[in-house]
Amino acid sequence: MTNQRPVVAVVDDDPRVLESLEELLEAADYSVRSFLSADLLLRAGLSGIDVLITDIGMPGMDGFELRDAVKAARPDLPVFLITGRHEITDQDRAKGIGGLFRKPFDAQILLAAIGDVLR
């Protein structure tokens, strides 16, 4: 029997956040691939990924740059941005950018948003 669980890739430079998201997503029956940087995800490739969750504030390529690179390669791949920076969230909401979650975020709202884009 093959594993048909949707694959969620998570990119965050904080190992504690990665672990927390892995536990949340696996408990919700998703398969999870975790990466400590945007570069590591891009080197691993985007094939087989159904949803991407990325932190915004990371060294090197930030979450906005990663989202843009991913959208250029796979325009259909849903991308959710997470941030602990309140000012970024407010600016992006003002621009009408969806899929943005401010830490600490409501896990059930994130899971519902993932479920919505996978339907």
Side-chain angles (χ1 to χ4, degrees):
M1 176 183 278
T2 59
N3 182 357
Q4 295 299 316
R5 296 187 305 162
V7 177
V8 179
V10 181
V11 182
D12 198 305
D13 61 321
D14 184 338
R16 295 167 300 181
V17 173
L18 278 183
E19 183 179 338
S20 174
L21 282 168
E22 282 174 13
E23 290 174 4
L24 172 70
L25 294 164
E26 287 173 355
D29 207 29
Y30 293 108
S31 181
V32 183
R33 295 184 193 164
S34 297
F35 302 90
L36 286 166
S37 72
D39 185 56
L40 289 172
L41 166 70
L42 293 174
R43 280 195 266 156
L46 300 173
S47 69
I49 294 172
D50 298 303
V51 176
L52 171 62
I53 300 171
T54 181
D55 187 25
I56 292 174
M58 299 183 292
M61 181 182 285
D62 71 20
F64 292 122
E65 294 166 323
L66 176 58
R67 177 197 57 198
D68 293 346
V70 165
K71 289 296 185 180
R74 291 217 16 225
D76 61 324
L77 183 64
V79 178
F80 293 100
L81 299 167
I82 56 175
T83 184
R85 298 178 185 174
H86 296 253
E87 69 281 2
I88 291 176
T89 301
D90 295 338
Q91 288 172 5
D92 281 320
R93 285 206 173 121
K95 293 178 191 173
I97 296 173
L100 188 58
F101 292 85
R102 185 167 55 206
K103 298 173 190 174
F105 49 82
D106 184 311
Q108 295 312 308
I109 293 174
L110 177 63
L111 291 174
I114 293 168
D116 287 347
V117 299
L118 291 174
R119 283 191 214 16

